[in-house]
Amino acid sequence: MKLIRYGASGQEKTGIIIDDNYYDTSAFGEDYNEHFFETNGLKRLAEFVQTYSDALPVISKNVRLGSPVARPSKIVCVGLNYKDHAAETGASLPSEPILFLKATTALCGPNDDIIIPKDSEKTDWEAELAIVIGQRAAYVEEGEALNYVAGYCLMNDVSERAFQLERNGTWDKGKGCDTFAPTGPIMATKDEIADVHNLKLWLKVNEQLMQNGSTANLIFNVPYLVSYISRFMTLLPGDIISTGTPAGVGLGMKPPVYLQPGDAIELGADGLGVARQQVKAYIPQA
């Protein structure tokens, strides 16, 4: 299945894509959240869709899409997980996954505006494959890890490099700003993705191709990451793990290139759709 959430920010309804058409599943009566995944929601939703397929309302494709997963308990991210990205930033290959957290308030829809934070001069882009956890996971064995995965989606791990690298402490300061986790357009269940370790992943800025990678080049693959992270924190249903970005980020260019108000970003991944974001300057609230 391909899950979507649509409508005004904070008021999203649930939906599903069938044969490239958008359908409303509000009558199912549940959001795509922790409770949904924890209570075998994907199976129950599939049964609901099969039973009522002829009665599902059609949704316009012009509607705003939200994150396909309602706000998770946490967004866990993996740094420097592609060899080419580590090389372009001058970093050594990690011996273990580098982990950091994004604030859940960074989560937004796949086509929502990216807001450059106040005092930011080095806002960057990062196209990534994200994992959605399907059931509570603690101390999971690598060989069983995929049983804990509900599906996958696309994420732009937007990053403010000065906040991240020049302000002391952990990376979180440069990763958790509002709008810094555009996610979607869809969550594809595992059966929709033939080989999660062979997906093309790309990103353009102002129609110029910046990133053109493949999940075949992940240093730490999906089962390893789920198992590894579950040793340090319990992963709850609906939690998101963003798995790292390939080469082509602004930080790695010589000289570095960063996002400016008015820039247009387009990114995509095989089987996970395409997202488009406009970059805007921060405007103080009145």
Side-chain angles (χ1 to χ4, degrees), residues 9 64-67 105-117 123 156 158 177-183 259-265 267 275-283:
S9 178
R64 174 196 174 266
L65 294 178
S67 164
T105 47
L107 190 71
C108 62
N111 305 315
D112 288 349
D113 294 335
I114 291 172
I115 307 301
I116 295 179
T123 296
N156 188 352
V158 186
C177 304
D178 292 353
T179 74
F180 271 26
T183 302
L259 293 169
Q260 304 296 325
D263 285 346
I265 298 173
L267 64 153
R276 298 176 179 87
Q277 296 128 24
Q278 294 287 323
V279 181
K280 295 187 177 179
Y282 170 79
I283 299 176

Side-chain angles (χ1 to χ4, degrees), residues 2 10 37 47 51 56 91 93 99 103 108 123 128 133 159 175 178 182 191 204 219 236 257 263 278 284 286:
K2 297 178 180 179
F37 290 108
E47 293 170 349
T51 300
L56 295 176
L93 293 184
L99 304 182
C108 62
T123 296
E128 304 199 1
I133 296 298
S159 308
K175 295 287 191 172
D178 292 353
D191 58 293
K204 298 178 181 178
I219 298 172
L236 297 180
V257 175
D263 285 346
Q278 294 287 323

Side-chain angles (χ1 to χ4, degrees), residues 65-111:
L65 294 178
S67 164
V69 178
R71 184 182 291 181
S73 80
K74 51 188 167 293
I75 303 170
V76 187
C77 299
V78 185
L80 299 176
N81 199 25
Y82 286 76
K83 292 180 181 179
D84 54 358
H85 175 52
E88 73 173 346
T89 61
S92 301
L93 293 184
S95 59
E96 296 186 36
I98 296 170
L99 304 182
F100 59 91
L101 297 176
K102 273 189 180 286
T104 56
T105 47
L107 190 71
C108 62
N111 305 315

Side-chain angles (χ1 to χ4, degrees), residues 14 25-33 35-37 39 41 44:
T14 60
T25 59
S26 296
F28 180 68
E30 299 178 36
D31 203 351
Y32 301 150
N33 56 18
H35 177 77
F36 168 81
F37 290 108
T39 57
R44 294 186 293 105

Side-chain angles (χ1 to χ4, degrees), residues 168-245:
N168 295 329
T170 66
W171 289 4
D172 301 63
K173 285 183 282 191
K175 295 287 191 172
C177 304
D178 292 353
T179 74
F180 271 26
T183 302
I186 68 169
M187 191 207 85
T189 52
K190 287 184 293 186
D191 58 293
E192 294 280 351
I193 304 298
D195 184 0
V196 73
H197 298 118
N198 190 29
L199 301 181
K200 181 181 177 182
L201 189 66
W202 56 269
L203 182 144
K204 298 178 181 178
V205 178
N206 299 329
E207 301 187 356
Q208 180 178 351
L209 186 65
M210 297 297 192
Q211 294 186 276
N212 188 22
S214 169
T215 58
N217 295 319
L218 284 167
I219 298 172
F220 304 106
N221 67 18
V222 169
Y224 185 89
L225 290 174
V226 173
S227 174
Y228 181 87
I229 294 168
S230 77
R231 301 178 203 172
F232 301 97
M233 64 192 80
T234 296
L235 294 167
L236 297 180
D239 280 356
I240 294 174
I241 300 172
S242 204
T243 60
T245 198

